[in-house]
């Protein structure tokens, strides 16, 4: 997830892009969510500590009701108890924190610190840092392959995924992906890890048994494929394309793009409420798009401005609440908490 600067727009494969545009014109792609009808109501705006600087990824431990927020600009991980809507801890010295991933069965949270090119391990009982592990260039998103007890870290500017063994908290492999790496996600059905290569716009598949790339799926219609969510039961991957504001739907069985939707500018984080079937796409412009997934098909429910820079979302499927850290509301960072509201 970028924040300091944007890399130059990709134009290297002009011939392929022309083909993609022709395909898009001839297929039922790029459907739009209904603007101005965001099916959410704000439950609360919880004040967050620190400066009005950028926030990044979030991860929720539903069992304990703890939400972990990456306060990138302040170099801290903030912990919110969602059962009482209160900040309960601030974990400092995580320089330029981007990714954050709670792993309840390990009693740990892992966070990527781009300021020091490392991943930090945090004990969830004491909220203390217990390990620092070297990563690659600009570590960002994280995914956990539980059966192999490995974490996979997107080295966005380094073009690799770093592999960390959680038993030893040591780096055990570096996997070449390409040039610029987007988010990384684990698929529990195949047991494989998927990662976006956002320069060539490919969905790259890794086998954790060997830590080798075993497949590459082209993403026609994508520009800047960054955000990623694996809907394992539906055998579907959702890809947020930050440079042309599209959400692509990828069939993991046939390994092809089957549909696409227009979303808000610079879409970033994707979250899914499994029990409700709602998919959230949050963008840098503060626009959030909401879809309903039923029988493997997405239906747009609505789209609208949720708040400034609302590019991060985490969802608690047990309560259907969605959490959006916002940088500056009347001079204060807040956590905007929403719940579904009836359709107009």
């Amino acid at each position: 997830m970028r924040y300091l600067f944007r890399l130059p727009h990709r134009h290297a494969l002009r011939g392929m892009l022309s083909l993609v545009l022709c395909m898009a014109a001839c297929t039922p792609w790029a459907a739009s969510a209904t603007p101005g009808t965001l099916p959410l109501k704000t439950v609360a705006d919880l004040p967050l500590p620190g400066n009005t600087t950028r926030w990044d990824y979030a991860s929720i431990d539903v069992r304990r009701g703890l939400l972990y927020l990456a306060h990138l600009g302040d170099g801290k991980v903030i912990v919110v108890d969602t059962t009482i809507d209160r900040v309960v801890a601030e974990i400092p010295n995580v320089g330029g924190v981007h990714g954050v991933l709670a792993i309840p069965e390990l009693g740990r949270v892992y966070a990527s610190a781009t300021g020091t090119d490392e991943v930090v391990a945090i004990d969830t009982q004491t909220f203390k840092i217990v390990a620092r592990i070297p990563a690659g260039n600009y570590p960002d998103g994280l995914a956990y392959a539980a059966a192999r007890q490995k974490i996979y870290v997107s080295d966005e500017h380094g073009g690799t995924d770093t592999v960390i063994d959680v038993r030893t908290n040591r780096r055990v492999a570096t996997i070449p992906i390409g040039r610029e790496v987007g988010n990384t996600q684990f698929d529990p059905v195949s047991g494989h890890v998927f990662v976006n290569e956002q320069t060539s716009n490919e969905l790259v598949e890794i086998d954790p048994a060997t830590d080798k790339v075993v497949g590459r799926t082209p993403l026609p219609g994508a520009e800047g494929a960054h955000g990623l969510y694996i809907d394992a039961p539906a055998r579907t991957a959702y890809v947020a394309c930050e440079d042309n504001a599209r959400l692509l739907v990828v069939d993991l069985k046939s390994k092809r793009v089957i549909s696409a939707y227009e979303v808000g500018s610079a879409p970033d984080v994707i979250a899914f409420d499994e029990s409700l079937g709602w998919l959230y796409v949050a963008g840098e412009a503060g626009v959030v798009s909401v879809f309903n997934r039923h029988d493997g098909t997405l239906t747009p429910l609505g789209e609208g401005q949720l708040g400034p820079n609302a590019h991060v979302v985490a969802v608690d499927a047990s309560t259907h609440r969605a959490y959006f850290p916002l940088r500056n509301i009347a001079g204060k960072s807040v956590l905007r908490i929403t719940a579904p509201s009836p359709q107009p």
Side-chain angles (χ1 to χ4, degrees), residues 222-240:
E223 293 183 31
H226 184 78
L228 178 63
Y229 183 86
I230 302 295
D231 184 355
R235 306 309 303 133
T236 300
Y238 303 109
V239 178

Side-chain angles (χ1 to χ4, degrees), residues 274-316:
E274 299 93 342
S275 59
L276 191 62
W278 281 23
L279 186 80
Y280 294 75
V281 183
E284 295 282 357
V287 173
V288 172
S289 306
V290 183
F291 300 83
N292 182 63
R293 191 264 279 157
H294 181 68
D295 291 336
T297 301
L298 285 186
T299 301
L301 292 180
E303 181 176 275
Q305 190 79 28
L306 185 128
N309 199 224
H311 68 112
V312 176
V313 56
V315 178
D316 183 342

Side-chain angles (χ1 to χ4, degrees), residues 127-192:
F127 299 129
K128 302 294 185 183
I129 293 174
V130 295
R132 293 181 179 270
I133 308 113
N137 184 359
Y138 209 86
D140 191 10
L142 306 107
Y144 179 51
R148 300 289 174 177
Q149 294 188 284
K150 295 176 183 177
I151 287 175
Y152 292 77
V153 187
S154 303
D155 300 320
E156 184 169 351
H157 294 174
T160 62
D161 252 36
T162 292
V163 186
I164 295 170
D165 188 324
V166 299
R167 294 167 293 190
T168 61
N169 281 330
R170 293 181 179 273
R171 179 173 55 188
V172 294
T174 300
I175 305 170
I177 301 297
R179 291 177 58 190
E180 191 178 5
V181 180
N183 203 357
T184 299
Q185 293 281 298
F186 177 68
D187 173 24
V189 173
S190 67
H192 288 182

